[in-house]
Amino acid sequence: MSSASPPKTDRSTEIARSLRDDIVAGRLLVGDRLPSEAELAEQYGVSRPTVREALKRLAAQSLIRSRRGATGGAFVNHLSYEAAHGQQITTSTLLLSMNAIPLETACEARFAMERACAPLACARRTSAHLDTMRAELARQSDAQLSDEAFCASDVAFHRALVDAAANPVLSYQLAGAVEAMQPLMNMITFTARDRARIAALHRAVTDAVEAQDAAACDAALTALERYTVELAGAVMARRAAKAPAQPGS
Amino acid sequence: MSSASPPKTDRSTEIARSLRDDIVAGRLLVGDRLPSEAELAEQYGVSRPTVREALKRLAAQSLIRSRRGATGGAFVNHLSYEAAHGQQITTSTLLLSMNAIPLETACEARFAMERACAPLACARRTSAHLDTMRAELARQSDAQLSDEAFCASDVAFHRALVDAAANPVLSYQLAGAVEAMQPLMNMITFTARDRARIAALHRAVTDAVEAQDAAACDAALTALERYTVELAGAVMARRAAKAPAQPGS
DNA sequence: GGTGTTTATTTGTCAGACAATTGACTGTCC
DNA sequence: GGACAGTCAATTGTCTGACAAATAAACACC
């Protein structure tokens, strides 16, 4: 029953999964050195290029890092928040762009999670967080700011809010949600009035966090969500009006 | 300035990044076929194995899929929720296990996000969701259940709760948080009394969802979080007592 | 004892080859 | 003319063997 079935998957995929299981299950610990490519090739009964493809798969997920030289080899990576973060953003961005997700759905998810952070942020915010939020607020009032920079500032503002919750796991999760939406937001051209209103809502959030008023913060975020959806809806409607239903082929 | 600096990264890493950028930026759309490996090798001025390593990196992130045969090749993948999900779980699991995250922090993040789903779940739950939750509740009352199966049922219960919010983006995010914690929870041996109490709290959550009472649901989840942390804390303390501070090397 | 050099090990890359798979083309038979 | 089978070409999957580059340890030399 073991060798009867022709392997449906590639050898390199199998090997990668085998090694990944070893890492996830703790049979290979952080910092451990994997056998050399030649040894792995012999162990699995394949050639070195095949092993290398498997290792590259793991490297793509930041599970291992490779160094060459006498004491080189592949080492089990310490998955930092930063690396996890980066993958989270890539995955979330693609998920959003490839699945025709209504902006409303994405917004809802994002603000739901952000509201989850709010009580913690209110309880634990430091002056550093407040300073960051106020600094971004100031930038957002600058009429010279490009739309892209405005969106970037928006992201920075919300990141500061999330970080104020002082829970790295939450920060990591939210980073994906917030930053993945930036490309979507970048498609919006903001009028001066839009910006003023968004900044005002941001100010309400900041004030609530400073006052450690979780309920007010929640309300401000809810209002911000509603306005964001409204704005985006208007943009989409305008775009749809300009390029009406795909002409049939 | 272009060729002066010796490339610090591998060629295969560069190629992978180049192709990934093409995908993320939309220059390659879902379903598009990439050039064949031989063509890519020529384009980038490298050999085919190097191209293959790059492609394997992208495959590891579910960005492409490969098929062989006359019309085969590498195609830009449609990133399904399922695939994103799987990566999310792997990443989150590793992040939790490798960063010595206090269980309290992980719990806090998870329940914060789950509470974020609660109002939506209350508003939108269908009878199917309620049925699933009640079915898992029934399983959890079975004294014959192993600890692993109990944990698995716990995960299934919370997944049903999250899915009831009817927001796929939220489901995808939460799946990582909930399932990544399962290995941690599996380390806990539950007494009959623990199980009874957890089941009771689950019942309270279910009743609140059925009654569409968001406040009660929030309260029940908060109580559940507190009890989970308490339980885990007791386990950790017992373990620490048995194996006191690492003896110096 | 300190310093510079050699050397062994390991990854990164290349070239060429063959097997396996799969769709498309083609020719035959009804 | 149409259905069916065989052949073919394109492409990925894998192997072999080789060389280059990096790197730390061992070693020779002063």
Side-chain angles (χ1 to χ4, degrees), chain B residues 91-130:
Chain B
T91 305
S92 298
T93 304
L94 283 166
L95 192 66
L96 255 52
S97 70
M98 283 183 180
N99 284 278
I101 300 199
L103 200 130
E104 215 170 347
T105 305
C107 265
E108 179 179 279
R110 176 199 149 162
F111 280 99
M113 291 196 290
E114 214 162 323
R115 276 195 301 269
C117 292
L120 297 170
C122 284
R124 298 177 188 162
R125 89 287 184 283
T126 66
S127 57
H129 296 126
L130 288 170

Side-chain angles (χ1 to χ4, degrees), chain B residues 229-249:
Chain B
V229 170
E230 187 185 311
L231 255 185
V235 170
M236 294 299 168
R238 219 174 309 144
R239 189 165 307 182
K242 271 192 183 159
Q246 299 278 11
S249 66

Side-chain angles (χ1 to χ4, degrees), chain B residues 36-202:
Chain B
S36 72
E37 294 176 355
E39 287 176 90
L40 285 173
E42 197 176 0
Q43 277 181 34
Y44 286 99
V46 298
S47 67
R48 202 160 76 94
T50 303
V51 167
R52 282 184 62 79
E53 288 178 10
L55 293 179
K56 291 307 170 192
R57 292 180 117 104
L58 301 181
Q61 297 179 302
S62 306
L63 274 135
I64 62 169
R65 66 181 180 285
S66 294
R67 244 181 28 210
R68 60 177 157 180
T71 60
F75 296 83
V76 178
N77 217 347
H78 174 84
L79 184 59
S80 67
Y81 281 103
E82 220 170 64
H85 197 126
Q87 294 185 226
Q88 170 81 353
I89 291 171
T90 302
T91 305
S92 298
T93 304
L94 283 166
L95 192 66
L96 255 52
S97 70
M98 283 183 180
N99 284 278
I101 300 199
L103 200 130
E104 215 170 347
T105 305
C107 265
E108 179 179 279
R110 176 199 149 162
F111 280 99
M113 291 196 290
E114 214 162 323
R115 276 195 301 269
C117 292
L120 297 170
C122 284
R124 298 177 188 162
R125 89 287 184 283
T126 66
S127 57
H129 296 126
L130 288 170
D131 288 347
T132 304
M133 293 170 80
R134 297 234 178 260
E136 295 301 334
L137 258 174
R139 291 192 68 199
Q140 289 164 23
S141 306
D142 179 1
Q144 304 291 311
L145 221 58
S146 70
D147 279 341
E148 281 75 17
F150 184 78
C151 287
S153 171
D154 185 83
V155 169
F157 175 86
H158 287 281
R159 264 203 80 159
L161 173 64
V162 170
D163 287 342
N167 184 316
V169 179
L170 263 183
S171 292
Y172 143 72
Q173 292 269 7
L174 264 288
V178 172
E179 297 201 20
M181 284 195 60
Q182 188 167 15
L184 293 181
M185 301 301 289
N186 273 340
M187 301 192 314
I188 299 178
T189 306
F190 295 97
T191 67
R193 232 182 47 171
D194 297 339
R195 290 196 184 181
R197 182 142 179 206
I198 290 175
L201 288 167
H202 281 173

Side-chain angles (χ1 to χ4, degrees), chain A residues 52-53 88 101 108 124, chain B residues 52-53 88 108 124:
Chain A
R52 281 183 63 78
E53 288 178 10
Q88 171 81 355
I101 299 202
E108 178 179 280
R124 300 178 187 159
Chain B
R52 282 184 62 79
E53 288 178 10
Q88 170 81 353
E108 179 179 279
R124 298 177 188 162

